[in-house]
């Protein structure tokens, strides 16, 4: 029997802790306790097991051992990692494909309730591909863009289009290395083909294709998803929202939306505000409808509509345990099968909506963009009808929530740094060049119940902020920071290094910028590209003092993100366990693939992937890399004491001075 952990070892979030105590009272298992009971297989966990064919599974645990087919350990590890990256790329990119079909249906006037909300972004994106803009309606432009984007998935030859938005030097490298993806589906299919029994058996060659597949996601499927979400639902800009279980309301019909694609959640938001639905809710005895989100669906509707986030990945079960959720509506990705069994302890209905995802025991109301508003209303009415079944005696809502300001799209960052007429990344580059900002860290990815929820995310964020590292976040990591209050300017600034604080105060931004959902890691690629193009920080992403981190990763999508960021030139650090760690203490050279994706990939792409479980070492590696890149650019060595006497700090000092001295300090002349 596995050892039960202390509450702090499950989660650092006080709302989660309350719910975990409640789970124990009720005798209900959660992912946290299941993780205790499910001891991971040390052979499979180290990537040393192959079950690619019926002659196996083969477990390679001795020096020189090979599988029945003769496959060596490094081949098996490379195949396992490549399959995970292919699955992650497929998930993200299929999301992008659905968005492309939705754009086409909207352009054709066939998508009930949808419209093109951000015509400026549509025109900007279309112009990148030489789609004719002048004299055409948004729908005509959108129809062409949708055709271009739909074609990226099935394209057999050539180069996927969105990757032309990468820095020129990077494009050249991809061509030289022959890893520019041809088509999204083609690369995923080839990854599965190559890793089939008896195919590609050179680990480096296999991993080369893993990189190509991931690029089809990052600079293909995911970028398409982000572009179209902005075009249809609006490019995010800062907006006030809230995060944590306290957003669930005792006297309202609570509907938690969970998954990834904004097509359904946006329509639920629209339908929940319609007078007939609000009247229906009131007639059921509720004060109204409270929508909230989990995982990346939360991020999508939080950053565009200000709809509160009930929490991140590990909050999906905990939100149901409040006893106050009438329905959890899910689409695709990161949805635990355990939800249905858990919900049976309460009155909550689990409603699946995607034609791709069904869960035994859940209610299925299939979503169809052609009649989206009608279906959204049907879903809401199903939840409202369930309000009467709530057992008030079982209701426990932690009164814990934080205000958050998400919505820092790359377009908004560009605007906020330079204003409408001179939007530019120049001030950010300058701040890095002077050393006010030491570098940039993108801290992204999931929760994992094998570590304390949010602990690694927030520990790394807080330490890097003290070191004047600007933090950008997406996915469940962004929600972790939000729940801690780091997504508000004033709340976070007292813990921030002097130089970074000056920049945040001058520009008026929080030190942690919420940039969106998992697919929106493409926004970070765009920011890095624009920084490279702005000048002063080299001419490619691998020269920028920046690091990507996924401290609590768990999904295959996270591995796909890691691979495309490496191929784009970034140093990427994952916390937790490596899926290809090997057992170097028992099998010599069983970490050869691990070394290859670090040193080998760095030689090829300038970026590397490393797994560092210890948060302190993660922070040290991040700062060392940032300082190495600063030195390579010839930038001044980072000095924590050099800045901090301008911005608001200077104003406060001036205010404290007597009037005469103040004049002298400001104007350089003594008072009359
Ligand atoms: Fe074993 Fe080779 Fe089959 Fe893998 S592909 S299960 S190593 S025989
Ligand atoms: S939802 S992939 S747990 S970030 Fe995008 Fe969160 Fe990871 Fe799912």
């Amino acid at each position: 029997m596995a050892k039960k952990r202390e509450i702090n070892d499950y989660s650092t979030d006080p709302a989660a802790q309350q719910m975990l105590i409640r789970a124990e009272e009720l005798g209900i298992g959660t992912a946290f306790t299941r993780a205790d009971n499910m001891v991971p297989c040390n052979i499979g966990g180290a990537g040393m097991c192959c079950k690619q064919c019926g002659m196996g599974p083969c477990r390679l645990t001795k020096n020189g051992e090979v599988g029945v087919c003769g496959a060596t350990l490094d081949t098996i590890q490379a195949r396992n990692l490549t399959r995970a990256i292919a699955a992650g790329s497929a998930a993200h990119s299929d999301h992008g494909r659905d968005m492309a079909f939705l754009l086409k249906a909207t352009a054709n006037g066939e998508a009930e309730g949808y419209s093109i909300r951000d015509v400026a972004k549509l025109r900007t994106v279309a112009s990148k591909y030489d789609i004719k803009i002048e004299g055409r309606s948004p729908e005509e432009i959108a129809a062409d863009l949708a055709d271009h984007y739909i074609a990226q998935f099935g394209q057999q030859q050539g180069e996927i289009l969105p990757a032309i938005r990468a820095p020129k030097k990077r494009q050249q490298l991809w061509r030289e290395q022959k890893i520019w993806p041809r088509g999204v589906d083609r690369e995923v299919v080839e990854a599965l083909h190559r890793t089939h029994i008896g195919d590609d058996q050179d680990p480096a060659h296999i991993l080369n294709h893993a990189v190509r597949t991931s690029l089809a996601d990052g600079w293909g499927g995911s970028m398409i998803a982000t572009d179209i979400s902005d075009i249809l639902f609006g490019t995010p800009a800062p907006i006030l929202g809230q995060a944590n279980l306290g957003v669930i309301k005792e006297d309202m019909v609570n509907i938690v939306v969970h998954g990834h694609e904004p097509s359904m959640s946006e329509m639920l938001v629209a339908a929940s505000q319609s007078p007939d639905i609000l009247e229906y809710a009131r007639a059921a005895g509720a004060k109204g409808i409270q929508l909230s989100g989990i995982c990346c669906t939360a991020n999508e509707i939080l950053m565009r509509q200000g709809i509160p986030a009930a929490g991140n990945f590990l909050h999906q079960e905990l939100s149901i345990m409040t006893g106050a959720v009438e329905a959890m509506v899910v689409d695709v990705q990161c949805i635990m099968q355990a939800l249905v069994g858990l919900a049976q302890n309460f009155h909550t209905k689990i409603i699946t909506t995607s034609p791709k995802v069904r869960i035994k025991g859940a209610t299925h109301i299939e979503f169809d963009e052609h009649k989206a508003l009608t279906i959204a209303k049907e879903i809401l009415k199903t939840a409202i009808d369930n309000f009467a079944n709530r057992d008030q005696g079982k209701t426990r809502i932690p009164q814990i929530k934080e205000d958050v300001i998400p919505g820092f799209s790359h377009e908004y960052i560009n605007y906020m740094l330079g204003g409408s007429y001179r939007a530019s990344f120049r001030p950010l580059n300058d701040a890095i060049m002077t050393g006010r900002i030491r570098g940039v860290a993108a801290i992204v990815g999931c929760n994992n119940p094998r570590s304390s929820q949010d602990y690694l995310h927030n520990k790394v964020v807080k330490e890097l902020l003290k070191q004047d590292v600007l933090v950008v976040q997406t996915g469940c990591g962004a929600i972790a920071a939000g729940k801690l209050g780091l997504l508000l300017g004033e709340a976070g600034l007292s813990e921030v290094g002097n130089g970074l604080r000056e920049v945040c105060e001058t520009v008026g931004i929080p030190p942690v910028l919420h940039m969106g959902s998992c697919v929106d890691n493409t926004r970070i690629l765009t920011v890095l590209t624009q920084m490279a193009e702005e000048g002063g920080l080299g001419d490619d992403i691998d020269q920028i003092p920046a690091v990507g981190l996924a401290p609590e990763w768990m999904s295959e999508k996270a591995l796909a993100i890691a691979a495309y960021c490496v191929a784009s030139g970034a140093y990427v650090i994952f916390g937790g366990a490596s899926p290809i760690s090997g057992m170097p203490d028992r099998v010599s050279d069983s970490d050869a693939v691990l070394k290859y994706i670090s040193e080998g990939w760095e030689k090829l792409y300038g970026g590397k992937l490393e797994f560092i479980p210890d948060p302190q070492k993660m922070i040290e590696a991040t700062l060392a890399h940032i300082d190495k890149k600063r030195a390579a650019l010839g930038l001044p060595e980072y000095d924590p004491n050099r800045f901090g006497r301008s911005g608001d700090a200077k104003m406060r000092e001036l205010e404290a001075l007597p009037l005469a001295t103040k004049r002298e300090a400001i104007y350089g002349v003594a008072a009359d």
Side-chain angles (χ1 to χ4, degrees):
M1 186 67 187
K3 194 167 156 269
K4 189 173 159 303
R5 290 176 280 172
E6 296 295 326
I7 195 87
N8 265 322
D9 297 330
Y10 283 128
S11 179
T12 52
D13 177 337
Q17 291 179 356
Q18 285 187 25
M19 284 294 98
L20 288 170
I21 291 167
R22 177 80 178 137
E24 198 168 357
E25 279 166 18
L26 296 171
I28 295 174
T30 61
F32 299 86
T33 52
R34 289 192 298 274
D36 286 344
N37 297 332
M38 181 60 67
V39 179
C41 164
N42 61 346
I43 300 166
M48 300 168 79
C49 171
C50 179
K51 50 186 176 64
Q52 241 82 307
C53 88
M55 295 188 283
C58 300
R59 292 174 300 162
L60 274 53
T61 56
K62 297 188 194 84
N63 276 333
E65 201 173 13
V66 294
V68 174
C69 67
T72 54
L73 183 53
D74 48 6
T75 295
I76 288 171
Q77 286 183 322
R79 287 200 301 221
N80 286 340
L81 183 61
T82 299
R83 284 207 160 198
I85 289 170
S89 300
H92 270 158
S93 296
D94 215 26
H95 169 166
R97 181 202 320 268
D98 283 346
M99 296 307 297
F101 282 129
L102 178 58
L103 183 66
K104 184 72 181 178
T106 306
N108 289 346
E110 295 163 354
E112 181 199 339
Y114 297 99
S115 61
I116 295 162
R117 286 202 209 151
D118 195 336
V119 176
K121 175 126 189 185
L122 169 70
R123 292 166 69 98
T124 305
V125 173
S127 66
K128 291 184 194 302
Y129 311 126
D130 295 331
I131 293 171
K132 188 171 175 286
I133 290 169
E134 292 318 314
R136 302 182 80 201
S137 71
E139 287 70 23
E140 286 170 322
I141 301 168
D144 277 3
L145 180 63
D147 287 342
H148 271 69
Y149 273 175
I150 291 166
Q152 301 311 305
F153 295 92
Q155 185 170 287
Q156 301 303 319
Q157 306 284 354
E159 298 177 340
I160 58 160
L161 256 188
I164 59 168
R165 288 149 69 173
K168 291 278 171 289
K169 202 169 164 192
R170 187 68 21 192
Q171 294 181 34
Q172 198 185 325
L173 182 118
W174 291 339
R175 286 198 182 102
E176 282 164 13
Q177 295 289 339
K178 298 190 171 37
I179 55 165
W180 194 310
R182 294 155 292 188
V184 177
D185 295 357
R186 176 160 189 188
E187 305 312 346
V188 173
V189 167
E190 190 171 314
L192 296 179
H193 178 188
R194 284 207 204 187
T195 53
H196 184 272
I197 160 78
D199 273 300
D200 201 353
Q201 288 152 41
D202 174 338
H205 194 242
I206 296 168
L207 289 164
N208 212 32
H209 189 71
V211 165
R212 192 177 201 179
T213 307
S214 73
L215 284 174
D217 172 18
W219 294 89
S222 279
M223 195 162 273
I224 289 171
T226 299
D227 281 349
I228 298 177
S229 300
D230 287 355
I231 290 166
L232 289 177
F233 307 120
T235 301
I239 185 168
L240 181 64
Q242 291 183 320
N244 217 337
L245 294 171
V247 305
I248 293 171
K249 302 249 171 66
E250 187 106 38
D251 49 6
M252 310 271 259
V253 173
N254 290 293
I255 298 158
V256 179
V257 196
H258 171 25
H260 278 78
E261 294 177 6
S263 40
M264 179 197 61
S265 51
E266 283 281 346
M267 205 45 67
L268 286 171
V269 174
S272 72
Q273 292 160 357
S274 70
D276 54 327
I277 290 293
L278 287 170
E279 189 43 48
Y280 195 81
R282 281 192 285 269
K287 273 206 176 144
I289 296 172
Q290 177 65 56
L291 273 188
S292 59
I294 291 278
C295 275
C296 283
T297 291
N299 286 317
E300 297 280 358
I301 51 179
L302 173 68
M303 67 183 170
R304 292 200 179 86
Q305 313 291 349
I307 301 294
N312 44 7
F313 177 65
L314 285 176
H315 268 38
Q316 58 186 287
E317 292 177 288
L318 307 183
S319 63
I320 291 174
M321 289 205 355
T322 61
V325 174
E326 276 54 58
M328 178 172 278
V329 187
V330 303
D331 56 4
V332 292
Q333 302 166 23
C334 303
I335 302 147
M336 292 189 193
Q337 189 168 354
L339 292 176
V340 171
L342 181 92
Q344 280 161 4
N345 294 288
F346 303 92
H347 71 302
T348 309
K349 271 187 191 299
I350 306 296
I351 302 177
T352 51
T353 57
S354 167
K356 294 169 199 158
V357 174
R358 294 225 185 177
I359 310 176
K360 215 170 159 195
T363 305
H364 189 72
I365 303 178
E366 195 150 306
F367 198 71
D368 173 356
E369 67 262 29
H370 298 99
K371 38 188 179 150
L373 194 59
T374 308
I375 295 168
K377 287 186 177 181
E378 184 191 339
I379 291 171
L380 294 180
K381 283 184 174 173
T382 305
I384 295 167
D385 290 342
N386 198 25
F387 183 66
N389 297 324
R390 190 192 294 179
D391 178 350
Q392 297 297 354
K394 274 192 175 174
T395 303
R396 303 278 191 288
I397 305 171
Q399 295 305 310
I400 296 171
K401 60 185 175 190
E402 283 288 343
D403 284 345
V404 296
I405 300 189
F408 290 89
S409 54
H410 54 266
E411 288 88 345
Y412 188 82
I413 296 175
N414 206 5
Y415 160 76
M416 102 199 156
L417 290 171
S420 296
Y421 298 105
R422 52 185 174 84
S424 147
F425 274 78
R426 190 73 254 152
L428 176 60
N429 282 22
D430 284 347
I432 293 173
M433 288 165 70
T434 57
R436 269 196 177 81
I437 293 179
R438 187 170 180 175
V440 179
I443 303 177
V444 308
C446 326
N447 288 141
N448 189 323
R450 300 216 173 269
S451 60
S452 180
Q453 182 193 15
D454 299 349
Y455 168 74
L456 292 172
H457 276 300
N458 290 335
K459 162 107 181 148
V460 173
V461 169
K462 287 192 289 186
E463 289 301 319
L464 292 178
L465 291 179
K466 283 184 202 156
Q467 300 288 332
D468 292 295
V469 175
L470 177 70
V471 174
V472 298
Q473 292 204 269
T474 61
C476 290
I479 299 174
K483 288 189 291 170
L484 197 69
L486 292 172
L487 297 185
L488 279 177
E490 291 308 309
L493 285 183
S494 58
E495 301 294 325
V496 168
N498 287 334
L500 175 61
R501 181 177 179 143
E502 271 185 23
V503 174
C504 291
E505 286 174 345
T506 308
V507 182
I509 52 167
V512 180
L513 303 180
H514 179 303
M515 293 191 72
S517 64
C518 296
V519 294
D520 293 334
N521 285 307
T522 61
R523 296 191 201 276
I524 299 174
L525 296 179
T526 305
V527 166
L528 291 169
T529 300
Q530 293 193 347
M531 286 169 74
E533 286 169 352
E534 186 63 46
L537 295 176
D539 53 3
D540 196 359
I541 292 172
D542 62 335
Q543 291 169 272
I544 297 172
V547 177
L549 299 106
E552 298 178 25
W553 78 279
M554 65 87 201
S555 79
E556 291 168 316
K557 289 180 293 169
L559 292 168
I561 293 165
Y564 72 63
C565 287
V566 168
S568 304
Y571 175 26
V572 177
I573 301 173
F574 269 37
S578 157
I580 48 159
S581 62
M583 296 177 189
D585 51 332
R586 281 172 52 185
V587 184
S588 63
D589 209 27
S590 69
D591 55 357
V593 170
L594 207 57
K595 285 186 183 142
Y596 180 73
I597 62 172
S598 173
E599 292 154 26
W601 275 357
E602 190 171 30
K603 278 193 201 114
L604 291 172
Y605 313 121
K608 57 181 174 177
L609 173 59
E610 287 177 352
F611 292 83
I612 306 179
D614 180 293
Q616 200 49 46
K617 290 195 177 133
M618 218 184 277
I619 292 158
E620 285 163 16
T622 301
L623 295 173
H625 184 80
I626 284 174
D627 290 346
K628 188 174 94 181
K629 293 293 170 183
R630 291 187 65 85
L633 288 166
L635 300 180
E637 207 173 312
Y638 167 70
D639 175 359
N641 301 314
R642 185 157 165 227
F643 298 102
R645 290 198 64 258
S646 62
D648 289 1
K650 180 90 175 174
M651 290 306 290
R652 277 192 292 275
E653 278 174 28
L654 287 173
E655 273 162 22
L657 293 174
L659 186 61
T661 327
K662 196 185 297 187
R663 280 201 191 132
E664 191 173 351
I666 297 173
Y667 301 113
V669 290
D672 300 336

